[in-house]
Amino acid sequence: MLIVDDDERNLLAIRTVLEDVADVVLAKSGEEALRHLLKGEFAVILLDVYMPGMDGYETAQIIRAREQTKRIPIIFLSAVNKETEHLIRGYSMGAVDYVFKPVEPVVLRSKAAVFVDLYMMTREVRRKARQEQELLDANLRANAERLRAEQELRLAEQRQAAIIQSLPIILYLEEQDAVPRIPKFVSGNFKAVTGFDFEEVVATPTLWVERLHPDDRERVTAALRARRDGRAYAVEYRWQCADGTYKHFLDQAVLLRDADGRPLEYAGTLLDVTERKNLESQLLHVRKMDALGQLTGGIAHDFNNLLAAVLGGLGLIERRVTLADDQRKVLEMTRHAAQQGTELVSRLLAFARKQKLAPARVDMDSLASTVSELLAHTLGGLVTLEWELGEGLWSPYADETQLELALMNLAINARDAMPEGGKIRIACRNASLAGDGDTVAGDYVVLAVSDTGCGIAPEMLERVTEPFFTTKAVGKGTGLGLSMVYGFAQQSGGTTRIESRLDHGTTVELWLPRAPEAARRAAVSHPVDGFATRSQSRHILLVDDHEGVRATTAAMLEDLGHRVTTAADGGQVSELIDADGLPTVDFIISDYAMPLVSGSEVIRKLRQVKPGLPGIIISGYADTAAISGAPEGVVVVAKPFTVTQLRDAIAAALAAP
């Protein structure tokens, strides 16, 4: 029903009365009513006589003039003018009835329901007439349609069979207490999924149980025994196919019953979920590696603090104490061990993707020459190195030094896998990816390092990139080579892929993004020569929560001729400020990561008292560029550092704007 009234209260009241009779459409003017009539079909129109603009009479005249709407009954609504001439005018405009306001709900509902019923009966008559005509037409076409239906049925059956054949799923029917397990029926794609013909399974009743993975067999057979109670079941397991590979199957079935509730048979599906399980394993691996990365990054930060104290202390002993030759030898051995610890930390940071990288366009010919020279005396006479640089090879965008180190690690791993000698091949090619869960879409340069060695067992492949995990004998490796390569590739925007077969060798692929056209080799920054000569004595405030680092750094500064005041944290700095204990301090060196207040905040707080105060932030984190909110002009130095590096950093901070 279409209700037309310029008063919203009237529309609400009438809709409330009639909404249980038919669907109600509201219009606030004659123009809006005409728009509704262009889009919909109505059983009756309730039309207010007096409305601003186009009144009810004009609206009714237009409705009656249109072929599509002229037969819709119109009931006029009026609050005035009950005189006969107005009624006659309304009827002459096509009205079938008049209802005066205020409207009596029962009367209005009764009148409207008559026209709604009439409309529904008319539509039903039309529908039956159409059905009769359609039935007549259907009878005339019966023979042709029957033939076409049979052809389409055969085609549909063929299409359905082809679809089922292509899906990684088997449909089966099986007796409730079948022992051993032999289905009565399986879908046609049984061989495509398992590699076996169904006849082979029937001929060998124990085949299905024998090919269950040993770790899953007891659990699956227990689940099948439990189904004798008539319950539906779902079990996931690994099953060895005809080609010897294991697939992951999701086996689900429900018990079919007859009309009296008696059990008939199990109807089930066997779904190949191998791809899903592989994706789940990859996701778990990525999450595990991220967690390990967070852990190793934190460990590396603490190690850097310890190594800073050790190396700083050794430097102080060397500078301040006259040592005999044997004592100097012990000191050098200790320093060498600490420097090895620094190298170990750098590998941990490479895995954690927190090392400092200077990516640039890498020339592949130059890279091949450099790596070959570096490995010339390392591989030995039994192992040869061969490069394959594809035609039109792109240049990767990466830190060349770290890339050289990654390739050396892979080559040394390959050498260790071939104790009796062999050949290492580094094949480079271009590749483009549409993108997947591990790598973004784009162009890549792939460096594949292959050996012909002993290979890696499948169960170990997932763990070889974990830090400290190694397949080598005790004392033969740190377990950080592949983890460093993995972290370097991830931090460079690429990835690694490993393929290996026992007694056939291993291939490790290093995927690195292609260098953009605008990329240029990054210039290596060196300290300005003038920095080392600036030795003006200063009063330096040193803030570090690590006692060992604080003591050794203070001693370094004193050796450089500076006066040092130390503080353990931001709280002690605040006490010095409140006590006016910093009038002569003209330089600040602060650790970045400290309890409660960071080094950046300490420097900002001091600059409120002494504007423009130059300073340095020292940090155990390797990624100094990621230190957030470093104040303007502050130089960031990574731990551990030497006295020369500290001197140059002070000069750089003093020269900064």
Side-chain angles (χ1 to χ4, degrees):
M1 285 185 287
L2 177 62
I3 303 173
V4 188
D5 198 311
D6 62 314
D7 190 328
E8 290 189 6
R9 294 169 297 179
N10 290 339
L11 289 175
L12 177 62
I14 297 172
R15 183 177 67 181
T16 303
V17 172
L18 299 178
E19 60 187 357
D20 59 342
V21 176
D23 295 333
V24 175
V25 176
L26 305 178
K28 297 179 182 178
S29 65
E31 292 85 349
E32 186 179 352
L34 294 175
R35 285 196 295 271
H36 283 301
L37 288 167
L38 290 173
K39 297 183 289 185
E41 187 178 355
F42 296 92
V44 62
I45 302 171
L46 277 69
L47 184 59
D48 188 24
V49 173
Y50 287 103
M51 295 183 294
M54 183 185 295
D55 65 12
Y57 296 132
E58 293 177 84
T59 304
Q61 189 174 14
I62 295 174
I63 292 172
R64 286 288 174 259
R66 292 182 68 249
E67 183 65 29
Q68 295 88 340
T69 58
K70 66 181 183 180
R71 291 182 177 83
I72 301 176
I74 298 174
I75 299 176
F76 273 125
L77 303 173
S78 179
V80 295
N81 294 330
K82 300 181 182 180
E83 294 82 359
T84 302
E85 58 269 22
H86 288 288
L87 299 178
I88 295 299
R89 183 185 177 190
Y91 286 120
S92 66
M93 292 294 178
V96 297
D97 203 350
Y98 253 93
V99 175
F100 295 100
K101 302 175 184 177
V103 177
E104 177 59 43
V106 175
V107 173
L108 183 61
R109 187 182 295 108
S110 175
K111 293 187 179 213
V114 170
F115 293 107
V116 171
D117 291 342
L118 180 61
Y119 172 82
M120 297 301 292
M121 286 188 290
T122 303
R123 193 164 67 173
E124 182 66 18
V125 169
R126 291 174 182 169
R127 187 185 65 80
K128 289 183 177 179
R130 283 196 304 271
Q131 285 182 336
E132 291 176 359
Q133 184 61 43
E134 289 170 0
L135 182 60
L136 178 61
D137 294 341
N139 288 333
L140 294 175
R141 297 190 303 269
N143 292 332
E145 288 294 334
R146 187 184 307 113
L147 178 61
R148 186 186 306 167
E150 291 175 354
Q151 292 174 341
E152 290 180 351
L153 178 60
R154 284 194 294 271
L155 181 61
E157 290 173 348
Q158 293 171 358
R159 186 182 297 113
Q160 184 179 19
I163 292 172
I164 293 176
Q165 189 78 17
S166 66
L167 292 174
I169 189 171
I170 297 171
L171 310 177
Y172 67 85
L173 295 174
E174 190 173 31
E175 295 292 348
Q176 180 183 3
D177 53 357
V179 178
R181 187 181 192 189
I182 302 178
K184 298 191 300 182
F185 161 82
V186 294
S187 60
N189 65 337
F190 184 81
K191 185 169 184 177
V193 174
T194 66
F196 289 99
D197 289 316
F198 181 53
E199 291 73 17
E200 295 179 72
V201 178
V202 174
T204 311
T206 59
L207 177 67
W208 183 83
V209 174
E210 290 172 353
R211 288 193 165 262
L212 284 170
H213 193 284
D215 295 342
D216 298 339
R217 187 171 298 153
E218 184 177 349
R219 175 173 56 85
V220 175
T221 52
L224 292 175
R225 284 194 300 269
R227 75 177 185 173
R228 295 173 184 173
D229 298 335
R231 293 174 293 180
Y233 71 93
V235 61
E236 194 172 300
Y237 52 83
R238 290 162 289 180
W239 198 82
Q240 189 177 31
C241 299
D243 61 0
T245 61
Y246 279 96
K247 287 187 176 180
H248 290 263
F249 288 147
L250 176 59
D251 193 347
Q252 304 177 95
V254 294
L255 184 63
L256 303 181
R257 299 179 183 273
D258 61 15
D260 297 325
R262 291 188 295 268
L264 294 175
E265 58 192 357
Y266 270 98
T269 60
L270 195 67
L271 178 63
D272 181 1
V273 295
T274 305
E275 185 175 354
R276 189 195 74 190
K277 295 296 291 185
N278 290 338
L279 290 174
E280 289 177 357
S281 298
Q282 291 176 20
L283 179 60
L284 288 173
H285 180 68
V286 169
R287 288 179 174 173
K288 179 175 68 175
M289 298 302 279
D290 284 343
L292 286 171
Q294 295 288 338
L295 175 63
T296 53
I299 291 173
H301 169 262
D302 292 338
F303 264 99
N304 274 337
N305 274 329
L306 296 173
L307 291 169
V310 171
L311 289 171
L314 293 174
L316 289 175
I317 294 172
E318 188 175 33
R319 290 192 302 275
R320 295 186 177 186
V321 180
T322 302
L323 301 173
D325 290 342
D326 57 339
Q327 293 171 332
R328 185 171 296 278
K329 186 179 295 185
V330 172
L331 184 141
E332 287 301 326
M333 290 172 55
T334 308
R335 189 201 310 277
H336 179 68
Q339 289 170 343
Q340 285 184 318
T342 304
E343 176 64 22
L344 178 67
V345 169
S346 69
R347 292 194 176 198
L348 286 172
L349 290 168
F351 169 75
R353 290 169 274 170
K354 292 183 179 180
Q355 61 183 340
K356 290 188 291 185
L357 296 180
R361 181 190 296 271
V362 178
D363 180 81
M364 293 301 294
D365 292 325
S366 174
L367 177 71
S369 175
T370 302
V371 173
S372 297
E373 291 177 6
L374 291 171
L375 291 171
H377 302 292
T378 304
L379 297 181
L382 296 177
V383 177
T384 59
L385 175 64
E386 178 183 293
W387 284 81
E388 291 183 10
L389 303 179
E391 190 71 25
L393 187 64
W394 298 328
S395 295
Y397 189 67
D399 186 308
E400 187 166 357
T401 302
Q402 293 298 325
L403 177 55
E404 292 170 1
L405 180 59
L407 292 174
M408 288 178 64
N409 273 305
L410 294 177
I412 291 170
N413 280 349
R415 178 203 65 185
D416 294 343
M418 300 183 294
E420 298 179 0
K423 181 168 64 176
I424 300 173
R425 184 165 58 94
I426 303 180
C428 306
R429 70 180 192 275
N430 301 330
S432 297
L433 284 184
D436 54 35
D438 190 37
T439 313
V440 298
D443 295 332
Y444 292 85
V445 180
V446 183
L447 296 87
V449 182
S450 304
D451 63 59
T452 55
C454 57
I456 303 171
E459 63 271 14
M460 293 185 178
L461 271 179
E462 284 188 4
R463 300 193 59 196
V464 292
T465 53
E466 296 178 13
F468 304 115
F469 179 84
T470 179
T471 59
K472 300 177 185 178
V474 176
K476 296 294 185 181
T478 62
L480 288 173
L482 276 176
S483 64
M484 185 277 287
V485 174
Y486 171 83
F488 164 68
Q490 293 287 323
Q491 192 175 357
S492 300
T495 189
T496 55
R497 296 181 180 180
I498 304 176
E499 294 181 1
S500 186
R501 291 175 58 196
L502 286 175
D503 301 324
H504 286 79
T506 301
T507 297
V508 179
E509 289 186 345
L510 187 58
W511 290 62
L512 296 173
R514 178 186 182 184
E517 291 300 323
R520 295 291 182 267
R521 189 177 297 267
V524 179
S525 60
H526 297 282
V528 178
D529 292 340
F531 287 174
T533 63
R534 297 184 61 172
S535 57
Q536 179 185 353
S537 176
R538 296 195 170 266
H539 183 187
I540 298 176
L541 174 62
L542 173 63
V543 188
D544 198 309
D545 61 322
H546 192 283
E547 184 177 357
V549 176
R550 191 168 66 249
T552 55
T553 305
M556 285 183 186
L557 293 170
E558 290 169 355
D559 285 354
L560 290 172
H562 301 293
R563 186 158 66 95
V564 183
T565 299
T566 61
D569 52 36
Q572 289 190 9
V573 173
S574 297
E575 292 175 5
L576 289 172
I577 293 174
D578 294 340
D580 198 19
L582 303 174
T584 61
V585 167
D586 55 5
F587 199 91
I588 170 73
I589 299 177
S590 177
D591 185 27
Y592 175 70
M594 296 185 295
L596 302 178
V597 181
S598 71
S600 298
E601 291 301 318
V602 168
I603 294 177
R604 287 196 186 90
K605 196 169 185 179
L606 278 173
R607 283 184 173 178
Q608 292 174 1
V609 180
K610 302 178 75 67
L613 181 69
I616 295 173
I617 285 180
I618 55 177
S619 174
Y621 294 110
D623 189 5
T624 54
I627 290 178
S628 60
E632 186 178 359
V634 170
V635 176
V636 181
V637 180
K639 301 175 185 177
F641 46 80
T642 64
V643 66
T644 302
Q645 291 170 328
L646 183 60
R647 179 186 58 196
D648 292 340
I650 292 172
L654 292 170

